[in-house]
Amino acid sequence: MVLVRGLLGDVLRRKRLRQGRTLREVSADARVSLGYLSEVERGQKEASSELLAAICTALEVPLSTVFAEVSEDLAREEALVLAHSVIEPEVVASAA
């Protein structure tokens, strides 16, 4: 199962790393604890809309852009899961 919080964290981390910024820099600019931001990036915490807005502001990236990337990543993940679920029964059937 694909967790949206994991995909969201991946997108936020990619944005931060592309800017060459550290967790410490972004957490200070967003006024979010370093540990909490790290957990959000690792998909371990669900971020509130207010927190996401603060992180996006710190990254100077529109929230809609982050959500669009999450949506694209989710579509790719769902396609992989669907492809796997279609292939798996065929493999089992051909082995019988």
Side-chain angles (χ1 to χ4, degrees), residues 57-69:
T57 298
L59 292 170
E60 298 180 357
V61 176
L63 184 57
S64 60
T65 299
V66 170
F67 282 152
E69 286 190 35

Side-chain angles (χ1 to χ4, degrees), residues 19-96:
Q19 293 177 9
R21 298 180 66 197
T22 65
L23 273 170
R24 188 172 308 282
E25 291 168 337
V26 175
S27 71
D29 289 348
R31 296 185 178 172
V32 174
S33 78
L34 178 69
Y36 198 81
L37 179 58
S38 175
E39 288 179 311
V40 168
E41 281 194 0
R42 287 181 282 136
Q44 294 178 334
K45 294 284 185 185
E46 296 267 355
S48 68
S49 58
E50 292 86 359
L51 181 70
L52 287 175
I55 295 168
C56 289
T57 298
L59 292 170
E60 298 180 357
V61 176
L63 184 57
S64 60
T65 299
V66 170
F67 282 152
E69 286 190 35
V70 170
S71 179
E72 291 168 6
D73 291 351
L74 181 58
R76 269 193 298 278
E77 292 289 329
E78 288 175 331
L80 289 173
V81 169
L82 181 61
H84 180 72
S85 67
V86 169
I87 292 170
E88 189 68 29
E90 291 175 6
V91 170
V92 171
S94 66

